[in-house]
Amino acid sequence: MRCFAGASSALDFSSPSLLFSHRIRCRRQLEVIGRRLVMNSVSSQARSRESGGCDDGVVTEEEWRRWGAVSPLPAAVKQIVNDLKVLELKVDAQIEFGGNGGKLQGAFGAYEDKKHRATYEALDDPEKKFRFFSARQVACRLLGSRGYLCQKCWLAMEDCMCSNVKPCGLWKRIRFWLYMHPRDFLRQNNTGKLLWQVFGVHSASLCIFGIAEDEEVMWDEFKHAGKSHVRCLYPNQNSELTLSVENAFGDSTSENPGSSMGDEDSTLHFILLDGTWNNSAAMLKRLKDHAKTVWGDEDLPCISLTTGASAMHKLRPQPSWDRTCTAAAAIGLLSELSLLPQLSSHGLDKQADAVEEALVVLLDSLTGRRLRMGRSITRKVRNPISIC
């Protein structure tokens, strides 16, 4: 008699006691095997939950939305993720991320680098090259962050700050658009993410620079609102099209969008450029080019704030002390809008305070991580420069 393959055929079961003890041993072994199978199943399910309910190598719509997106899963991003997983099997080397910027590492990284450069060079259209660059940046960040970063706050799991962020409703006649450079997507010290953590993704929406689906969703909203209800925050005070908040919305005439913001169809859309100062010029140019396509005029109205240095200057260098982070720009805008008589009753100052509190929470989380890792928490001094 055999209970499983591999049992010795030389065992003598003529004695009832030997037969009974052998059955007990078999039963115990089967119970151990059963428990291991259950534990493996539970562990697999836990890993799936940590990665946003995604299967290995497949980016799902659910996973994409969990990172803060409001657009459909970008087709180019999905394709690149699939290509990377196929390449992983082909070269028989695991995908690894690490080093400065979390780049692809090892044998796989070297092989993939040559392959993606060849793909990029083969594209003859600059727009296709740009979209490929953006999609690859996003795809690599999605794969490299699975099971490591919290999908809400974009911090390492052990530093998750979600429980300390207090949600707050944004006045319904304002909508923020975080126009984010792909290299800032899923960066732990990014501050733009705080806006949808506080206000929700439909009041502060992510749009990644160069991702077709994201830009389409954003511009569809702009077309519906009309050019007069779209403003871009950009600190270019030398431009004739850049106005202060008071000059842009302080006039109570009917032609001013600020005078009719209580109407049902008068949502004012604010674009926040979420990227490095060097990248912001290219991002603004793309917005203007699209504005010309939509409205026949590339003069996209811009707003300049009087906001000073952000608390994030302590950890994250800026070109000069008068520059500020994305969250601080939103705080400054809401604060200045709250001072306008026609908008003073909408609690914009309280909404600004909610973002500022979240910014402090982020700063504390990042500072704690740096201290734990033995890294400096002081900002490097840079010579003041002007990029405008």
Side-chain angles (χ1 to χ4, degrees):
M1 178 178 180
R2 294 184 180 181
C3 289
F4 56 90
S8 174
S9 59
L11 290 176
D12 182 8
F13 295 134
S14 59
S15 170
S17 61
L18 287 176
L19 179 61
F20 179 76
S21 62
H22 183 70
R23 286 176 175 175
I24 293 297
R25 286 197 301 271
C26 287
R27 183 179 299 172
R28 288 176 178 174
Q29 288 174 343
L30 289 173
E31 289 175 352
V32 170
I33 293 172
R35 285 196 296 269
R36 287 177 179 173
L37 289 173
V38 171
M39 291 175 65
N40 289 338
S41 176
V42 171
S43 177
S44 177
Q45 291 174 11
R47 287 194 299 269
S48 179
R49 286 194 298 269
E50 289 175 358
S51 62
C54 60
D55 297 324
D56 185 32
V58 178
V59 177
T60 64
E61 197 79 30
E62 178 187 5
E63 180 186 5
W64 175 245
R65 295 292 176 91
R66 282 175 180 265
W67 292 111
V70 294
S71 68
L73 174 62
V77 172
K78 184 177 181 179
Q79 183 61 53
I80 290 175
V81 169
N82 293 341
D83 291 344
L84 288 172
K85 299 304 292 186
V86 170
L87 188 63
E88 184 180 33
L89 296 175
K90 179 180 179 181
V91 300
D92 194 24
Q94 189 174 5
I95 297 177
E96 295 181 28
F97 295 89
N100 186 23
K103 297 179 180 179
L104 286 167
Q105 302 291 306
F108 180 89
Y111 188 89
E112 193 280 336
D113 184 68
K114 294 180 181 179
K115 188 175 185 300
H116 96 258
R117 288 178 184 274
T119 301
Y120 180 85
E121 292 299 330
L123 298 173
D124 54 359
D125 181 21
E127 177 67 13
K128 290 181 180 179
K129 287 188 173 184
F130 170 62
R131 291 195 182 279
F132 175 78
F133 161 80
S134 296
R136 182 180 175 275
Q137 289 287 324
V138 171
C140 287
R141 280 162 170 73
L142 286 173
L143 288 178
S145 301
R146 280 178 169 176
Y148 172 60
L149 296 186
C150 169
Q151 291 182 301
K152 291 184 178 180
C153 67
W154 297 4
L155 296 183
M157 294 291 192
E158 61 268 26
D159 301 309
C160 177
M161 57 177 249
C162 294
S163 61
N164 297 320
V165 176
K166 299 177 181 178
C168 174
L170 181 64
W171 184 42
K172 63 181 180 179
R173 292 297 150 244
I174 288 179
R175 185 171 183 179
F176 287 117
W177 291 90
L178 284 303
Y179 195 40
M180 185 178 293
H181 195 278
R183 283 181 171 165
D184 281 80
F185 180 60
L186 301 186
R187 279 186 61 180
Q188 295 192 54
N189 64 358
N190 177 277
T191 66
K193 63 190 177 187
L194 296 175
L195 296 185
W196 66 74
Q197 275 194 279
V198 173
F199 299 132
V201 296
H202 296 294
S203 295
S205 303
L206 172 65
C207 175
I208 301 177
F209 181 50
I211 298 298
E213 289 82 352
D214 280 17
E215 293 180 329
E216 182 178 352
V217 168
M218 183 176 72
W219 278 99
D220 282 347
E221 292 292 329
F222 293 171
K223 292 173 187 176
H224 176 74
K227 181 181 177 181
S228 63
H229 287 81
V230 178
R231 294 289 186 274
C232 179
L233 269 69
Y234 191 73
N236 188 355
Q237 297 179 350
N238 297 324
S239 173
E240 295 180 358
L241 296 172
T242 303
L243 303 173
S244 67
V245 170
E246 184 177 4
N247 290 336
F249 306 110
D251 187 0
S252 60
T253 61
S254 59
E255 290 79 10
N256 190 301
S259 65
S260 60
M261 288 182 67
D263 298 339
E264 286 298 318
D265 296 325
S266 61
T267 300
L268 196 57
H269 298 265
F270 290 102
I271 308 170
L272 301 173
L273 302 182
D274 197 354
T276 65
W277 288 103
N278 288 334
N279 288 331
S280 65
M283 297 167 75
L284 181 64
K285 182 181 184 302
R286 185 170 180 84
L287 288 171
K288 288 185 174 182
D289 289 344
H290 208 130
K292 186 174 183 179
T293 301
V294 174
W295 294 310
D297 187 352
E298 66 177 13
D299 294 337
L300 186 67
C302 294
I303 294 176
S304 180
L305 304 173
T306 58
T307 306
S310 163
M312 286 296 290
H313 273 276
K314 297 177 182 178
L315 287 181
R316 202 174 71 179
Q318 298 285 358
S320 62
W321 283 99
D322 63 331
R323 305 305 187 191
T324 192
C325 67
T326 306
I331 294 169
L333 174 64
L334 291 171
S335 298
E336 292 187 35
L337 287 173
S338 71
L339 299 177
L340 300 178
Q342 69 271 31
L343 302 179
S344 60
S345 62
H346 300 296
L348 299 178
D349 54 339
K350 300 294 189 298
Q351 294 153 35
D353 291 343
V355 180
E356 189 163 13
E357 290 175 6
L359 186 59
V360 172
V361 172
L362 174 61
L363 178 61
D364 289 344
S365 297
L366 294 173
T367 301
R369 180 176 179 81
R370 289 199 175 194
L371 289 173
R372 192 172 68 250
M373 299 176 67
R375 298 173 60 188
S376 172
I377 60 171
T378 57
R379 175 184 183 271
K380 293 181 180 180
V381 178
R382 291 186 177 185
N383 296 325
I385 61 173
S386 174
I387 66 167
C388 295

